[in-house]
Amino acid sequence: MTDALPPRGCQAAEPAEDSYFRKGCNPLAETGRSKLQNQRAVLNQQILRAVRMRAGAENLLRATTNNKVREQVLLELSFVNSDLQILKEELEGLNISVEVYQNTEETFSIPLVPLGLKETKEVDFTLPLKDFILEHYSEDSFEYEDEIADLMDLRQACRTPSRDEAGIEMLISYFLQLGYVENRFFPPTRHMGILFTWYDSFTGVPVCQQNLLLEKASILFNIGALYTQIGTRCNRQTQNGLENAVDAFQRAAGVLNYLKETFTHTPSYDMSPAMLNVLVKMMLAQAQECAFEQMSLPGIRNEFFTLVKMTQEAAKVGEVYMMVNTAMTQEPVKENIPYSWSKLVQIKSDHYKALAHYFVATILCDHELQSSDDEDQQEKALSQLYDYMPEGLMALTVLKDKVQRKQLGKAHLRKAVVYHEEALRVCGLCKKLRNIDVLQEVLTAAHKRSLLKYAQQEKEDDFLSLIQTPDILPKTEHKVETVTPQFSKVKVKDFFHRLGPLSVFSAKQRWTAPRTIRFHCEAGELGFSLKGGSPVQIYCLDPACSAASVGLKEGDYIVSVGGVDCKWLGVNEVLEKFKSVGEQPIEFEVISCQDTTASMHSKSATYSVGMQKTYSLICLAMEEDKIDQTKKAPLKLPFLSWGTKNRQKAASTLCLPSAVAGSSQTKKKLSPFALLNTESSLY
C-alpha cells in the first residue's frame, strides 16, 4: 500500500527507499473504508447537482414577477430542498459508520468516532505552471514536465492515503511541498487560474477557490482525520494499542487546533473555527476515554484507594464528554454536527458518570473501616471525592457508621442506575446507534451490574433514606493535551529545486530574462567583485571595466558560467569556473531585479451560512471583467488568513489576500523549511 515511487524529477541515482514520495492506497480496493469514501464521493456529486439546481431556482424566483412561474418555482424548490435533506442524512449515515474503522479484533468497548477524509476534484497543474516557468523564470518549461507530473502524482496519492504513519507522512510531505509551490508559482499580484475544489466533510457542499491556502487547509484537515482513523483502528485490548490510540487522538487534536489557529477564515463548514473547536474537544475526550481504558485494562481491584482513583478517573471522562455535548448543541455547529454523534457523546457522558457512582457505591458497601486501616488517609480520600458532603454527614462518620455507609452507597447505586437507564434510552432513540451491537451490549452489561449490586443491599430502609447523592469531583492523573504537529520531522525536497534558491527565485520577485555577458579579463582583473551565497551577486563593479561596457550592472546575479548552471554555487566555486577559462573570453549569464508596483485584484467567493440558502460557486477569474473600472473597490479581508489578527471580523463574504507595495504590515507565513488486595475484577 505504501510502495515507494522514485520521483521522475529526481536523479535516477537516488535509492527508491529514501524517496519522500509514496503511493496512496489503491482507490479500487474493496475495503470497508474505500467503499465509504466512494459512497461519499458519489453523494458529494449528487449534493453539488442539487445545490446548483437550487441556486438556479432561487435566481429565477428573484428575477420573475409572474405569479404562475413563482408558484412553479417554489414547488421545485421544495422538492430540491427535500432531496438535499435526504442526501445530507445519507452523508450523516456515512459519518456514523464507525464500525468500519474499528479494530478487527473482537472487542467489548464503546466504539470511537473517526473523521472521514475530505474529498476533492482532480487538479491539472501542467499548463499554468509551464506558462509561469516560461514567463517568470525565462526557462524552458518542457524541461520541468517531470517535476510537474511528480507534484500531480503526489496530490493524487494524497486522495487515498494509507491508514498508518506512512499515510500521515505522505500528507505532510504534500503539505510542505505546497509551501514551496506557493512561493515559487503563486505571486501576490495575480491568480494562477488553478481552481481547487474540496467537499465539506459534513454537508458535502463543495467549496471552489483559486487560492492555494484552501488546498493547504484541506490537507491539514485530512491529516487530522487520518490520525483519528489510526486511533480508532488501534487494538484497545492491549496496553500498546491503547497508548497508540491516546497518542493518535492527541495528535489529531493538535493538527485540528493548529488548523483553527492558522487558517482563521475558511470557507467551509467543517473547517470553521466553531466546528474545529468542537472536533478538538471530541478528540481529546476520546483520548481521555482511551487513557481510562488503559488503566482499567488489567482489571480494577476491589480495594479502597484503587476504587477512589478509578472513581475520579471515570468522572473525568464523563465530564469531558459532557463538555463536548454542550459544545455540539450550540450554534452555529448544531445544524451540521451529525445527530448520532451528539447522541453518542451524551451516552458516553452518562455511562462514565454511572461508572463513577458505581465505584463509590462499591467503596461504601464492600469496605468497612477496620482497626488496621489508616483512618486519616481513608477520610481524606473519601472527602476529596465530593465538593460537599450531604447535609448531616461527615466523611469520618460515614466510614465508621455502617448504616450511613449503606444509605450513601445505595444512593450512589440509584444514581448509577438512573444514568445507565438514560444512556440506554438515548441509544434506543437513535436509529444509527441502535444498530451498533457492541454499544448496546456494553450499556446493558453495565446497567445489569448496577442493578445486581443494588439488589444485594437491604431494601427495608429505602423509604426512610432521604440522602441526596452528591456529585463526584473529576480528577485524572493522565491529563491529555493537544500535540502540536512537528512538520519539520518530515524531510522533503523541493520538486522545483533546479529553478534556484527560493530566497531569490520566487514568485514575489521579478527578474529580467538572462542576458549573456562576454568579456576579456584585463591584466587578470575582472573589474568587479562577487558576494553572497548562491546565487552570487555582482559587487563593486568598475564602470570603466570591459564587463560593464557590455551590459553588466551592479547587483546582477550570475545564473550560469560557460553554459553551466550555477544558481546553487558559492563565490569560490564561481571564481574557480572563471579561472578555468584561462586566456579565453569569459562568458556568463546574469539577471537583474525588476521593480514592480502591481497590486492584487480584489476577488471573492461568497458562501451561505446555512444549507437553506443559496451556496454560490463563483469562478473568480470570470468575475474580473464584470467589475466597474470607474468604481473604487473597497478593501476586503482575506478569506484564509495567516495568524489571528482578523479572527473577529465577519466572514460571510471572503476575499483573497491582497498585497500593497510598501506596506509596513508583516504577514505571518508558514515556512516549509522551519517548521506534534483482592484480585476480583469489577470492570
Side-chain angles (χ1 to χ4, degrees):
M1 281 193 180
T2 56
D3 301 331
L5 280 179
R8 283 173 286 187
C10 299
Q11 299 177 0
E14 293 183 0
E17 58 269 17
D18 293 336
S19 171
Y20 45 79
F21 182 42
R22 289 185 168 89
K23 287 182 180 178
C25 295
N26 180 7
L28 301 179
E30 287 298 314
T31 63
R33 190 178 67 137
S34 67
K35 290 179 180 178
L36 278 185
Q37 290 300 126
N38 290 336
Q39 294 175 30
R40 187 188 299 273
V42 172
L43 278 177
N44 287 336
Q45 294 298 324
Q46 294 175 347
I47 290 173
L48 175 58
R49 286 195 294 270
V51 167
R52 286 174 173 171
M53 290 178 62
R54 185 176 65 180
E58 290 182 343
N59 290 336
L60 179 58
L61 189 63
R62 285 191 292 268
T64 185
T65 57
N66 188 307
N67 290 333
K68 186 174 182 180
V69 173
R70 289 180 63 86
E71 290 177 3
Q72 187 173 356
V73 172
L74 287 172
L75 181 61
E76 290 291 335
L77 270 176
S78 65
F79 282 115
V80 172
N81 286 328
S82 297
D83 289 341
L84 272 175
Q85 185 62 31
I86 293 173
L87 292 172
K88 185 179 178 181
E89 291 175 359
E90 290 183 19
L91 188 60
E92 178 185 337
L94 297 184
N95 288 331
I96 196 55
S97 299
V98 294
E99 63 277 1
V100 174
Y101 296 94
Q102 308 300 315
N103 187 269
T104 54
E105 300 290 334
E106 191 71 25
T107 62
F108 192 69
S109 304
I110 298 179
L112 301 171
V113 177
L115 296 177
L117 299 179
K118 287 173 68 70
E119 295 289 337
T120 181
K121 286 186 176 181
E122 293 186 7
V123 173
D124 191 351
F125 290 100
T126 307
L127 289 178
L129 296 194
K130 288 177 70 175
D131 289 346
F132 194 81
I133 290 173
L134 180 62
E135 170 205 341
H136 188 82
Y137 295 103
S138 301
E139 294 202 24
D140 185 1
S141 58
F142 289 96
E143 294 183 0
Y144 290 88
E145 287 183 342
D146 286 343
E147 285 84 347
I148 296 174
D150 284 341
L151 178 64
M152 293 174 61
D153 288 345
L154 179 57
R155 186 184 191 275
Q156 183 65 22
C158 286
R159 298 177 67 181
T160 56
S162 57
R163 192 167 40 169
D164 51 26
E165 286 298 326
I168 294 291
E169 183 178 340
M170 182 177 64
L171 288 175
I172 293 178
S173 67
Y174 179 60
F175 175 76
L176 297 178
Q177 197 67 235
L178 288 175
Y180 290 112
V181 171
E182 180 182 23
N183 289 324
R184 294 278 191 195
F185 301 107
F186 285 78
T189 55
R190 63 185 176 92
H191 295 303
M192 289 294 293
I194 302 175
L195 193 65
F196 300 100
T197 301
W198 286 87
Y199 293 91
D200 191 283
S201 180
F202 297 113
T203 65
V205 176
V207 175
C208 303
Q209 293 288 353
Q210 295 190 61
N211 198 306
L212 191 66
L213 297 183
L214 173 63
E215 181 92 346
K216 298 175 76 172
S218 300
I219 291 296
L220 276 178
F221 183 92
N222 277 0
I223 293 173
L226 193 57
Y227 268 127
T228 67
Q229 295 182 11
I230 292 174
T232 305
R233 193 186 188 188
C234 291
N235 186 356
R236 292 156 67 192
Q237 301 304 306
T238 65
Q239 286 287 349
N240 187 53
L242 286 168
E243 287 179 9
N244 292 336
V246 172
D247 180 69
F249 283 114
Q250 288 183 122
R251 291 182 182 276
V255 173
L256 296 174
N257 189 62
Y258 177 83
L259 172 59
K260 180 188 70 172
E261 294 180 349
T262 307
F263 297 86
T264 55
H265 292 140
T266 48
S268 183
Y269 302 119
D270 54 359
M271 295 191 295
S272 64
M275 180 65 78
L276 290 174
N277 184 56
V278 171
L279 295 180
V280 169
K281 289 179 182 294
M282 186 169 74
M283 298 313 148
L284 289 178
Q286 294 191 139
Q288 193 73 58
E289 180 182 6
C290 291
F292 174 81
E293 292 181 351
Q294 191 177 356
M295 288 182 285
S296 60
L297 184 62
I300 300 174
R301 292 187 304 163
N302 194 351
E303 188 268 328
F304 187 93
F305 293 104
T306 300
L307 289 174
V308 168
K309 174 183 175 182
M310 297 309 296
T311 295
Q312 292 191 300
E313 292 286 351
K316 181 64 178 180
V317 180
E319 180 194 45
V320 293
Y321 271 118
M322 181 181 66
M323 294 171 62
V324 176
N325 184 49
T326 301
M328 284 183 172
T329 56
Q330 303 298 317
E331 296 291 349
V333 300
K334 181 180 179 181
E335 297 299 324
N336 296 318
I337 282 286
Y339 173 77
S340 47
W341 281 19
S342 61
K343 293 306 170 187
L344 180 60
V345 167
Q346 182 181 346
I347 289 170
K348 288 190 176 187
S349 177
D350 290 337
H351 173 69
Y352 283 102
K353 287 179 181 178
L355 287 182
H357 285 284
Y358 173 78
F359 291 148
V360 176
T362 304
I363 292 173
L364 297 172
C365 296
D366 292 1
H367 297 275
E368 294 185 2
L369 188 64
Q370 304 295 330
S371 58
S372 59
D373 293 334
D374 190 330
E375 185 177 294
D376 292 338
Q377 288 295 329
Q378 287 200 11
E379 179 188 7
K380 181 180 179 181
L382 184 63
S383 61
Q384 288 179 348
L385 286 178
Y386 307 119
D387 189 14
Y388 64 92
M389 290 292 292
E391 187 177 354
L393 296 182
M394 300 290 292
L396 184 59
T397 306
V398 170
L399 289 174
K400 291 182 176 181
D401 192 320
K402 182 178 179 180
V403 175
Q404 289 188 5
R405 287 173 67 100
K406 293 290 184 182
Q407 288 180 345
L408 185 57
K410 289 170 68 176
H412 279 289
L413 280 176
R414 286 193 294 270
K415 193 74 169 180
V417 170
V418 169
Y419 275 125
H420 284 311
E421 290 177 347
E422 178 64 13
L424 286 168
R425 184 190 70 83
V426 174
C427 185
L429 291 177
C430 182
K431 179 181 178 181
K432 303 292 183 183
L433 299 180
R434 270 202 315 265
N435 296 329
I436 302 178
D437 294 335
V438 67
L439 176 60
Q440 291 279 359
E441 292 172 4
V442 171
L443 297 179
T444 302
H447 182 225
K448 288 182 178 179
R449 184 177 55 207
S450 296
L451 287 175
L452 179 62
K453 189 75 174 177
Y454 188 80
Q456 294 172 355
Q457 309 305 314
E458 298 176 357
K459 296 184 178 181
E460 61 271 10
D461 60 342
D462 280 358
F463 294 102
L464 300 177
S465 177
L466 300 177
I467 295 178
Q468 182 180 4
T469 311
D471 292 330
I472 299 171
L473 289 177
K475 183 182 178 181
T476 180
E477 297 178 0
H478 301 271
K479 184 179 179 180
V480 298
E481 296 177 339
T482 59
V483 176
T484 304
Q486 300 293 327
F487 297 124
S488 58
K489 291 184 177 180
V490 179
K491 303 301 180 182
V492 298
K493 180 180 178 182
D494 182 8
F495 280 148
F496 301 92
H497 177 84
R498 290 191 291 135
L499 288 174
L502 190 57
S503 59
V504 174
F505 299 95
S506 68
K508 294 180 181 179
Q509 304 184 56
R510 293 190 61 84
W511 305 93
T512 62
R515 61 185 188 278
T516 302
I517 304 296
R518 181 184 175 90
F519 73 104
H520 286 274
C521 288
E522 299 175 358
E525 294 292 333
L526 293 174
F528 56 86
S529 300
L530 301 178
K531 72 172 184 177
S534 52
V536 297
Q537 193 174 11
I538 302 299
Y539 176 65
C540 293
L541 175 66
D542 183 0
C545 70
S546 59
S549 64
V550 294
L552 189 64
K553 299 177 182 179
E554 180 86 14
D556 282 353
Y557 286 92
I558 300 177
V559 295
S560 70
V561 177
V564 179
D565 188 286
C566 63
K567 298 188 190 76
W568 288 96
L569 300 184
V571 172
N572 293 333
E573 294 166 306
V574 173
L575 287 175
E576 287 295 328
K577 287 189 175 295
F578 284 167
K579 292 178 182 179
S580 65
V581 175
E583 300 296 329
Q584 301 296 322
I586 298 177
E587 183 176 304
F588 59 96
E589 290 186 336
V590 297
I591 58 174
S592 300
C593 181
Q594 289 182 336
D595 294 330
T596 57
T597 57
S599 61
M600 187 176 183
H601 301 293
S602 179
K603 302 176 183 179
S604 65
T606 306
Y607 73 103
S608 66
V609 177
M611 283 287 288
Q612 292 74 19
K613 298 181 181 179
T614 303
Y615 193 104
S616 302
L617 301 176
I618 301 178
C619 183
L620 306 183
M622 297 176 63
E623 292 294 315
E624 182 178 4
D625 296 334
K626 299 180 182 179
I627 299 177
D628 187 359
Q629 300 298 330
T630 61
K631 296 181 180 179
K632 185 175 180 181
L635 294 177
K636 298 180 180 180
L637 292 174
F639 86 92
L640 283 175
S641 303
W642 292 91
T644 58
K645 292 182 179 180
N646 301 322
R647 180 170 297 175
Q648 298 178 352
K649 302 289 184 179
S652 99
T653 298
L654 305 168
C655 306
L656 301 180
S658 61
V660 181
S663 174
S664 61
Q665 292 182 349
T666 58
K667 293 185 178 180
K668 188 177 179 182
K669 278 276 191 178
L670 177 65
S671 171
F673 324 107
L675 293 180
L676 153 217
N677 286 305
T678 57
E679 299 300 328
S680 60
S681 178
L682 290 176
Y683 180 68

